[in-house]
Amino acid sequence: MKIIILDEVDSTHSYLKELIKKEGYSYPVCITTTMQTNGVGSRGNSWTGKKGNLFFSFVLEKKELPKDLELQSASIYFSFVLKKLLAEKGSSLWLKWPNDFYIDDKKIGGTITTATNELVYCGIGLNLIEVSSQFGKLDIDIDIKPTLKRYFENLKNEQYWKHIFSEFKIEFQRSKKYKATINNNKVSLEKAILNDDGSIEIDNTRVFSLR
């Protein structure tokens, strides 16, 4: 994974997509910055934060993903691999279905995943410093570049989706205390049933996690 560090950018996700559109895809690339002015979040929302936070987006080929990973599970997969890495460093960060990072009861970041015919794009934002009383921040200090290098090494060497899922489905119980936005409505996850592909069954409707 080639890591490109920018001082400031409107959106790492948008910048990366334009880069690939212009130069084509030759190998996995990551764009990262500590200052994003117009970030892309789920459902068209923005995620900007303050200077000093972590924003990064990366692209890789679908064939580089684990063979048992369905595309609709990608956001959970990318997020949980990062969660595991930060947990090894002492963080209590947990993943709320399907793509939100939490410390205790406060959101501190999230993941967005999009795909083309051959490529998968993932963008992650994580609060490393205090943003507002509404949001939390990571509970440990990290050195960004070594952490990203380790993260991508873990992605490359990670076990199958079934192993990630076996851990995530235990943590999913914490999500049931919260709500998720489904079809532009806030819906309680209390009675949600988690499926093996990362989707949930709620109110007789199957909802997928790709965002």
Side-chain angles (χ1 to χ4, degrees):
M1 181 73 67
K2 179 180 180 181
I3 300 175
I4 300 173
I5 302 173
L6 303 177
D7 290 333
E8 180 178 317
V9 68
D10 55 349
S11 160
T12 58
H13 213 65
S14 298
Y15 184 98
L16 178 58
K17 285 190 170 184
E18 284 299 315
L19 179 67
I20 298 302
K21 182 179 178 180
K22 179 180 178 181
E23 300 184 2
Y25 178 89
S26 300
Y27 42 78
V29 178
C30 170
I31 305 296
T32 185
T33 187
T34 57
M35 181 59 185
Q36 184 170 256
T37 59
N38 190 28
V40 178
S42 297
R43 301 173 302 277
N45 296 326
S46 63
W47 182 269
T48 53
K50 293 182 179 179
K51 185 171 179 60
N53 290 324
L54 172 60
F55 310 95
F56 68 99
S57 295
F58 59 92
V59 59
L60 43 75
E61 291 182 294
K62 289 180 180 178
K63 65 182 182 181
E64 297 177 78
L65 298 173
K67 297 189 186 318
D68 70 333
L69 176 65
E70 297 188 49
L71 190 58
Q72 60 262 32
S73 306
S75 279
I76 294 174
Y77 181 79
F78 292 139
S79 301
F80 207 80
V81 171
L82 180 59
K83 180 262 179 186
K84 289 180 63 178
L85 170 59
L86 296 176
E88 291 173 3
K89 294 177 176 291
S91 176
S92 61
L93 178 146
W94 63 280
L95 181 65
K96 177 179 133 340
W97 188 94
N99 64 340
D100 293 331
F101 294 112
Y102 270 64
I103 293 290
D104 296 325
D105 62 350
K106 287 190 175 182
K107 181 177 178 178
I108 72 163
T111 301
I112 180 171
T113 304
T114 58
T116 64
N117 289 337
E118 302 295 335
L119 302 176
V120 178
Y121 292 84
C122 178
I124 294 179
L126 203 61
N127 289 344
L128 304 183
I129 62 173
E130 201 72 46
V131 172
S132 71
S133 59
Q134 181 182 358
F135 296 99
K137 68 181 182 70
L138 191 63
D139 54 351
I140 60 172
D141 294 325
I142 61 171
D143 193 339
I144 291 177
K145 190 170 182 180
T147 299
L148 287 180
K149 289 183 68 175
R150 176 72 182 280
Y151 173 64
F152 293 125
E153 287 172 1
N154 289 357
L155 277 185
K156 186 175 181 180
N157 301 319
E158 189 51 70
Q159 63 264 44
Y160 291 112
W161 158 251
K162 66 180 181 180
H163 296 142
I164 290 291
F165 180 76
S166 68
E167 296 184 49
F168 174 69
K169 69 180 180 181
I170 297 172
E171 188 164 286
F172 176 74
Q173 299 305 312
R174 298 185 69 170
S175 293
K176 292 193 170 189
K177 299 179 181 179
Y178 296 84
K179 295 180 178 181
T181 301
I182 300 174
N183 296 327
N184 296 318
N185 295 314
K186 290 287 187 181
V187 178
S188 172
L189 295 175
E190 182 179 3
K191 297 181 179 180
I193 299 172
L194 182 66
N195 298 314
D196 289 348
D197 62 0
S199 66
I200 59 171
E201 297 282 345
I202 190 166
D203 295 333
N204 297 316
T205 302
R206 193 172 192 176
V207 183
F208 290 95
S209 63
L210 180 63
R211 291 183 177 177

